[in-house]
Amino acid sequence: MKPIQVGLLGIGTVGSGTFHVLQRNQEEIRRRAGRGIEIAMVADLDTTRAKQIVGDAAKVVGDAREVIANPEIDVVVELIGGYGIAKALVLEAIAAGKHVVTANKALLAVHGTEIFKAAAEKGVMVAYEAAVAGGIPIIKALREGLTANSIQWVAGIINGTTNFILSEMRDKGLDFDVVLKEAQRLGYAEADPTFDIEGVDAAHKATLMSAIAFGIPVQFDKAYVEGITKLTSTDIKYAEQLGYRIKLLGITKRTDKGVELRVHPSLVPTKRLIANVEGAMNAVVVHGDAVGTTLYYGKGAGSEPTASAVIADLVDIARMDGSDPAHRVPALAFQANTLAAAGNELPVLPMTDVVTSYYLRIRVADEAGVLAKITTLLANAGISIDAVIQREADEVGGEGSNQTDLIILTHDTREGDMDKALAEIQGLPTVLAPITRIRKEELN
Ligand code: HSE
């Protein structure tokens, strides 16, 4: 059978990894796919660099539209990123009848509904294993391996940059700003790290996992997004003393009222495997009603790990090219005509309706009755306390200090009730600084 012809749009880190892995493993990949997979064209603004990477093996052009216009190309691999030109090119490739492979989580999380609809109308595939957790085959696992299950929740460390920063803050007792600069110097964080540190990148990935876990439309606009910029090494240390690690988690959960979809720092019990995922590694925990809890771990970024996911998609496409679209695995795991109704039955909940437990750190005057006032306000809001610890005033404010930190762990409560109680506690004259609130996930 004729090798499937691939056009790469962008040959940076992931594109060059894709080219090299395909070359290195071409014989094994051909045996698996049942036909060869050939990168026939590469479009990149830096044609000189692109030619250095591919040599004579592929035609290099500066204009991505030349790839899309080439009738010989069966699959377009979009590795440009972002919502701008990448969106136009993906839609044009679909309109030209090409299958698309993309690592672009931002594009699919925001414009997925439009893109998957266009692909369905044209009978082509849009594959995106590389968009979530890099080399970890989590899309395959959720869409196919766990297809028997009613998925209950998914929780993941799905951004390596922030996990690296949090690991360094914990290991070295350093503050966020210091570690961020070091991460940038070492190349772990981008020059503009906003999407990573503010939780946006993780929210894009959580949005995609939410859609395929629960069979609902892609709804990034409804995700709650909070990054790690306000975390202090003090809270990381206190959490550690209480038996928890702080991780930036992407969480999506099925509840009676709807779906929770949120990204924020979370305390996770140190005894959970996922709490021990350190450095730039990624991990995703999925809980299904039949299988129970499963864990997927690996590199969430990088040249060849991400290429591994891109090529897995290319192999799927090579096998399914020309097949009846009705017989393929649906792009979002569930048949497209069922998504909207499921989305109405399972709306994404506002953050005020999310139920979780909390770590609170409250800087207070070290006086009689302060703790009693705070616990009374929590009790009045129906919030049940799991544990309270008071730090030594000397440890917190230095020798002779009359300030201290109260650390309170709560049981599960509605976020809206917690917001109300915290507003009242913050108003007490004996509360001396903005309260720190970090959500806590037991993941059991
Ligand atoms: N910037 C991401 C991370 C990788 O740090 O994990 C690509 O999504």
Side-chain angles (χ1 to χ4, degrees):
M1 200 173 184
K2 182 173 172 278
I4 198 154
Q5 301 296 295
V6 177
L8 286 191
L9 308 188
I11 188 154
T13 309
V14 178
S16 57
T18 303
F19 180 80
H20 289 130
V21 176
L22 264 179
Q23 278 220 321
R24 189 169 74 233
N25 296 342
Q26 59 180 304
E27 186 48 29
E28 279 189 63
I29 290 169
R30 191 189 57 75
R31 283 175 57 211
R32 291 191 175 112
R35 63 194 289 199
I37 296 175
E38 276 179 18
I39 296 181
M41 272 185 101
V42 174
D44 200 288
L45 292 177
D46 188 344
T47 50
T48 309
R49 193 176 155 277
K51 279 181 189 149
Q52 279 164 5
I53 296 167
V54 302
D56 296 330
K59 183 177 177 196
V60 173
V61 295
D63 179 2
R65 291 192 165 95
E66 267 193 62
V67 175
I68 294 169
N70 183 345
E72 295 299 312
I73 296 293
D74 303 302
V75 190
V76 168
V77 180
E78 183 273 306
L79 299 171
I80 297 167
Y83 322 101
I85 185 68
K87 181 185 176 199
L89 293 173
V90 163
L91 287 172
E92 285 172 35
I94 291 168
K98 318 287 187 202
H99 304 296
V100 171
V101 174
T102 179
N104 193 336
K105 65 275 321 180
L107 176 64
L108 294 181
V110 176
H111 299 292
T113 301
E114 180 184 352
I115 289 168
F116 292 126
K117 182 165 175 279
E121 282 166 7
K122 211 61 196 174
V124 296
M125 290 173 261
V126 173
Y128 54 95
E129 184 67 70
V132 182
I136 305 174
I138 190 64
I139 302 298
K140 194 79 156 178
L142 279 169
R143 240 171 33 168
E144 299 178 52
L146 300 176
T147 198
N149 289 265
S150 172
I151 306 280
Q152 304 300 303
W153 54 264
V154 180
I157 295 172
I158 43 180
N159 182 270
T161 305
T162 44
N163 203 51
F164 173 82
I165 293 172
L166 293 177
S167 297
E168 289 288 292
M169 286 173 73
R170 184 179 72 83
D171 278 355
K172 301 185 178 154
L174 296 171
D175 275 325
F176 171 79
D177 294 336
V178 177
V179 178
L180 173 61
K181 283 205 183 77
E182 181 65 0
Q184 284 173 313
R185 196 181 64 76
L186 293 171
Y188 281 103
E190 309 263 352
D192 179 0
T194 314
F195 266 27
D196 292 320
I197 62 178
E198 297 294 356
V200 178
D201 175 73
H204 288 145
K205 297 166 182 167
T207 298
L208 291 171
M209 292 198 290
S210 182
I212 59 176
F214 305 123
I216 58 175
V218 176
Q219 298 166 82
F220 174 70
D221 56 332
K222 307 231 175 84
Y224 174 82
V225 189
E226 182 184 316
I228 62 166
T229 55
K230 297 196 180 74
L231 279 181
T232 65
S233 53
T234 306
D235 292 306
I236 291 174
K237 184 183 74 187
Y238 287 162
E240 195 79 5
Q241 290 168 1
L242 291 160
Y244 293 88
R245 297 245 161 104
I246 299 182
K247 295 290 180 189
L248 183 72
L249 290 187
I251 299 168
T252 186
K253 204 179 269 189
R254 182 198 297 265
T255 76
D256 292 344
K257 296 199 183 95
V259 167
E260 296 180 2
L261 173 54
R262 49 195 171 100
V263 169
H264 50 70
S266 306
L267 272 75
V268 181
T270 307
K271 63 188 176 202
R272 300 269 175 266
L273 284 172
I274 194 170
N276 295 280
V277 170
E278 299 292 359
M281 300 303 281
N282 281 199
V284 182
V285 183
V286 183
H287 188 85
D289 67 337
V291 73
T293 301
T294 55
L295 170 69
Y296 308 84
Y297 170 84
K299 288 187 178 155
S303 178
E304 294 205 358
T306 312
S308 167
V310 168
I311 296 168
D313 282 343
L314 288 172
V315 169
D316 276 351
I317 289 173
R319 290 179 183 135
M320 298 306 288
D321 181 42
S323 65
D324 178 350
H327 294 162
R328 297 175 189 157
V329 178
L332 289 174
F334 292 72
Q335 298 298 331
N337 61 359
T338 70
L339 296 180
N344 292 335
E345 273 168 39
L346 277 178
V348 176
L349 296 170
M351 197 57 195
T352 45
D353 281 343
V354 161
V355 174
T356 186
S357 56
Y358 295 84
Y359 159 102
L360 307 174
R361 176 166 60 85
I362 310 176
R363 177 62 59 93
V364 293
D366 194 8
E367 303 170 3
V370 173
L371 178 60
K373 277 196 194 116
I374 291 172
T375 53
T376 302
L377 288 173
L378 288 172
N380 289 349
I383 297 167
S384 169
I385 293 170
D386 184 23
V388 181
I389 296 173
Q390 181 174 330
R391 310 310 307 173
E392 295 281 342
D394 286 357
E395 184 197 330
V396 172
E399 208 176 306
S401 165
N402 63 348
Q403 299 186 7
T404 191
D405 276 337
L406 288 176
I407 314 294
I408 299 178
L409 300 183
T410 75
H411 289 296
D412 274 354
T413 190
R414 220 185 117 260
E415 175 111 352
D417 296 336
M418 181 56 85
D419 290 344
K420 217 164 131 264
L422 287 187
E424 287 172 3
I425 295 169
Q426 190 70 73
L428 294 172
T430 44
V431 171
L432 305 175
I435 297 168
T436 299
R437 165 240 303 254
I438 307 174
R439 298 167 189 93
K440 182 162 80 63
E441 299 295 325
E442 292 297 327
L443 301 182
N444 50 15

